[in-house]
Amino acid sequence: MVQIAFILLTHKDPETVIRQAARLTAAGDCVSIHFDARANPADFQQIRDGLADNQQVTFARKRLKCGWGEWSLVAATLEAVKAAVEAFPDATHFYMLSGDCMQIKSAEYAHRFLESENCDYIESFDFFNSDWIKTGFKEERLIYRHWFNERTQKWWFYQSYEWQKRLGITRKVPADIEMMIGSQWWCLRRDSVEKILQFCKDRPEVLRFFATTWIPDETFFQTIARHVVPEREIRSRTLTFLMFTDYGMPVTFYNDHYDMLLAQDYLFARKISPEAKEMKARLGKLWGEQDMAFPISNEGRALFGFLTQKGREGHRFAPRFWETESTLGRDRVLYVVLCKKWHVAKRLVEQIRARTDLPAVNYLFNEQEELPPLGGIEKTLEKRNRHRRALLRMLLEYHRSDRLLICVDPSDFDLLRDLTSDKVETRILEIETEFSDEYLVGHAQRIGLAAHDSPSQIYERVLPTIRYDLRYESEKIRDAEFEHFWRIRETAQVQANAGPLAQFLKLDTDTAAEIAATDYLFSD
């Protein structure tokens, strides 16, 4: 039977700590608390007094002054872990938490989840070969010694680094240790924790090495767990849902994130805003719930990334220089069909192929549609987009034609700009379609913003944004005022669409009307 010993690292807000510990222990679990020695002594005494009668709570015997990026955070965790191992002999799992974390599942669900598989949950990626570190120091975290706090002793931190760098004073990672990196929010089985504690006793030189590395809370447990636990028993993930902004800052969750959080495939989440009183109250009741179902859609990160990008202009750092010297040719004609509903554009192209001799391909820059062999440039979407004018020239030559029709997604405005700036005559036809809520729901699922069983609140939040985004793409294209531009509409009569279609394709009106009259053209 699963019993969780929560390792709670905290430094503020004693009332929240008391409520958090009481809530977690009410379901039969345990809590071991390390309260930062830098904090107000009165706050710590308040916590001790508030939890004095709770036999399921213990405290780290030694309190340390903790600083961000320092070994002190790891040392404090070890102190709380030791206290938990000694105080709670029945604890089967040890779960790292902070005062900013809250449960997003019930205790019943969490116990069942941990019981379902005999493994540890800890992010553990290769330090040197993974891209877990996005910017800043990487190897420098390890090969130089860091005695000072980067935030409170910035000058000394960087000056000591520069001195070591100039003098060539470096060190090596312990020979038998494979450095790993990942989130500090882990959940380990008792046997794994005991092995780590024994490793600490047996290998003091390794602890001395980590004691002067930078941000060791992202490397110590992640590395030692891999050293003492078989790889097959480790799941390289955290059970605590957290996200970061473009600036590397943790995303804070508020009241309207409640349904989204419950739908994620995690047991806890951080950081919950102190102002999110309504959500904190709802989450507070959640741990003790019985027989509660949690449909998992797991769209949180994709949804956050999508919503935070809206309103931004995607400026590139530099033009696509590999195409600036090439051209499709002044005497050639490129026909571009723009449509968000790819199946509608493909049906139109199918009808054009049947009634004309115009060579046509579908969304060759958006999907891996099979193309004729062109020397390898057609093999991947990356290659196609990197050398798009070269690809189009080769397709024109393959078809022995001076004309070619392609389909383009309206979101690819840069591609349109590139093509219309070429010497080739670029003719554009936009197909304006209607977007029902049902279609937008399917679109959200296809692009990973939601799942089939996402809560209705997710769709209520994201559908207006998607609808606006599609409208914005169309408006942006119209505002560009391309020279050769026509539009047909789903809501227009056949004859109204036949005229623009005839002009776009340089066809007679009767043939254009036959194409426009395709009865299933706009069907979803």
Side-chain angles (χ1 to χ4, degrees):
M1 182 176 177
V2 167
Q3 184 186 56
I4 306 171
F6 291 100
I7 309 302
L8 180 56
L9 262 60
T10 187
H11 64 281
K12 61 181 180 180
D13 201 352
E15 292 182 359
T16 297
V17 174
I18 293 170
R19 286 195 299 269
Q20 186 178 26
R23 185 170 56 241
L24 294 173
T25 56
D29 294 307
C30 318
V31 177
S32 178
I33 299 173
H34 179 278
F35 195 73
D36 196 335
R38 294 182 190 274
N40 189 337
D43 288 345
F44 180 59
Q45 190 59 48
Q46 182 180 346
I47 295 171
R48 294 294 300 252
D49 294 342
L51 297 170
D53 296 331
N54 193 330
Q55 299 302 308
Q56 296 297 97
V57 175
T58 192
F59 293 86
R61 290 186 177 180
K62 183 178 180 182
R63 290 174 59 211
L64 303 171
K65 294 181 178 180
C66 298
W68 185 88
E70 292 181 9
W71 169 253
S72 54
L73 284 175
V74 177
T77 304
L78 287 171
E79 290 297 325
V81 168
K82 292 174 186 176
V85 169
E86 182 178 341
F88 310 125
D90 294 329
T92 59
H93 292 75
F94 295 75
Y95 195 121
M96 269 283 293
L97 283 180
S98 77
D100 293 324
C101 297
M102 286 198 75
Q103 63 280 351
I104 54 175
K105 298 292 185 294
S106 64
E108 180 184 65
Y109 181 98
H111 292 168
R112 191 166 57 243
F113 180 95
L114 294 176
E115 201 167 29
S116 66
E117 192 173 8
N118 185 28
C119 63
D120 296 320
Y121 295 91
I122 179 168
E123 269 194 356
S124 184
F125 301 103
D126 187 285
F127 184 94
F128 297 101
N129 296 321
S130 71
D131 62 349
W132 201 87
I133 299 174
K134 303 297 183 184
T135 59
F137 284 177
K138 188 170 184 177
E139 185 183 38
E140 294 88 348
R141 292 191 185 194
L142 308 178
I143 64 173
Y144 298 110
R145 293 167 178 83
H146 301 277
W147 296 284
F148 303 99
N149 186 289
E150 192 267 346
R151 293 189 173 180
T152 61
Q153 301 166 297
K154 191 177 289 290
W155 188 88
W156 282 108
F157 177 89
Y158 287 106
Q159 194 61 49
S160 67
Y161 161 69
E162 288 295 337
W163 285 337
Q164 292 177 77
K165 187 177 178 181
R166 290 174 188 174
L167 296 172
I169 302 173
T170 60
R171 60 178 177 174
K172 294 182 179 179
V173 175
D176 62 332
I177 298 296
E178 182 181 1
M179 287 299 302
M180 310 298 285
I181 192 167
S183 167
Q184 73 179 104
W185 310 108
W186 42 255
C187 178
L188 300 173
R189 295 164 298 169
R190 184 180 197 91
D191 183 58
S192 302
V193 164
E194 290 175 345
K195 288 178 179 177
I196 290 173
L197 293 178
Q198 188 60 49
F199 180 93
C200 292
K201 293 179 181 178
D202 297 341
R203 300 290 301 275
E205 79 282 4
V206 176
L207 269 66
R208 287 195 295 271
F209 170 81
F210 277 101
T212 51
T213 61
W214 191 42
I215 321 183
D217 53 299
E218 293 179 351
T219 55
F220 178 77
F221 287 99
Q222 298 77 357
T223 298
I224 307 308
R226 285 279 182 180
H227 192 79
V228 299
V229 179
E231 183 176 0
R232 65 180 180 277
E233 297 178 17
I234 292 179
R235 302 295 171 265
S236 188
R237 58 161 296 189
T238 175
L239 296 180
T240 299
F241 182 66
L242 67 161
M243 298 190 296
F244 291 90
T245 68
D246 296 346
Y247 306 102
M249 299 300 292
V251 172
T252 301
F253 299 112
Y254 296 90
N255 289 331
D256 58 350
H257 289 121
Y258 179 82
D259 294 297
M260 183 271 285
L261 289 178
L262 262 60
Q264 305 314 302
D265 188 20
Y266 296 85
L267 304 183
F268 285 77
R270 72 181 308 267
K271 293 182 168 185
I272 308 298
S273 170
E275 286 75 38
K277 292 182 169 51
E278 178 187 340
M279 181 164 72
K280 293 181 85 168
R282 297 175 73 184
L283 292 177
K285 298 176 182 177
L286 189 62
W287 191 246
E289 293 288 344
Q290 298 290 320
D291 301 321
M292 188 170 178
F294 294 92
I296 304 299
S297 53
N298 222 31
E299 75 291 325
R301 286 190 172 84
L303 183 63
F304 175 76
F306 173 76
L307 293 176
T308 53
Q309 287 300 319
K310 298 307 103 188
R312 299 180 184 178
E313 289 291 337
H315 297 297
R316 295 184 181 276
F317 292 105
R320 286 187 172 92
F321 60 87
W322 54 81
E323 295 290 3
T324 56
E325 298 298 322
S326 61
T327 177
L328 298 182
R330 191 183 301 276
D331 299 324
R332 287 173 165 169
V333 182
L334 184 66
Y335 299 83
V336 178
V337 174
L338 284 176
C339 189
K340 198 66 183 180
K341 292 185 177 180
W342 293 7
H343 61 279
V344 175
K346 290 177 181 180
R347 288 172 189 160
L348 182 73
V349 170
E350 182 182 2
Q351 296 299 315
I352 292 172
R353 284 198 189 101
R355 289 173 171 81
T356 72
D357 61 353
L358 177 60
V361 290
N362 292 326
Y363 289 86
L364 75 166
F365 295 111
N366 303 104
E367 61 180 351
Q368 198 67 43
E369 179 187 359
E370 187 173 348
L371 296 177
L374 301 172
I377 195 174
E378 80 289 352
K379 293 293 185 182
T380 66
L381 289 177
E382 182 183 7
K383 286 185 177 180
R384 294 182 187 185
N385 280 281
R386 188 185 305 140
H387 307 293
R388 54 197 183 195
R389 291 194 193 180
L391 176 67
L392 292 173
R393 281 200 313 274
M394 295 175 78
L395 281 171
L396 286 162
E397 292 164 4
Y398 175 85
H399 289 289
R400 297 182 181 179
S401 174
D402 289 329
R403 302 183 305 151
L404 181 68
L405 185 148
I406 66 172
C407 298
V408 171
D409 190 282
S411 64
D412 204 344
F413 187 77
D414 285 343
L415 175 60
L416 289 177
R417 277 291 192 197
D418 192 19
L419 297 177
T420 54
S421 66
D422 190 86
K423 295 177 182 178
V424 70
E425 179 185 334
T426 304
R427 304 172 70 84
I428 302 172
L429 176 73
E430 181 187 16
I431 306 177
E432 184 181 285
T433 60
E434 298 297 300
F435 299 103
S436 65
D437 284 351
E438 290 76 14
Y439 176 84
L440 294 181
V441 166
H443 180 69
Q445 293 171 357
R446 285 190 293 275
I447 63 177
L449 295 181
H452 290 284
D453 51 1
S454 289
S456 59
Q457 293 85 349
I458 295 294
Y459 292 111
E460 290 172 5
R461 187 178 304 125
V462 77
L463 291 193
T465 307
I466 295 176
R467 192 181 297 278
Y468 173 82
D469 195 44
L470 300 181
R471 189 183 303 120
Y472 173 74
E473 289 176 358
S474 181
E475 290 296 329
K476 187 175 182 180
I477 290 166
R478 296 178 194 183
D479 290 344
E481 297 182 347
F482 294 118
E483 182 179 0
H484 305 291
F485 181 86
W486 295 268
R487 183 182 302 107
I488 64 174
R489 296 179 173 86
E490 180 177 354
T491 56
Q493 299 294 321
V494 169
Q495 289 305 318
N497 283 335
L501 191 57
Q503 295 174 44
F504 167 67
L505 293 170
K506 301 180 181 180
L507 277 179
D508 61 88
T509 306
D510 291 340
T511 304
E514 291 179 10
I515 297 173
T518 304
D519 56 1
Y520 57 88
L521 182 61
F522 294 101
S523 299
D524 285 334

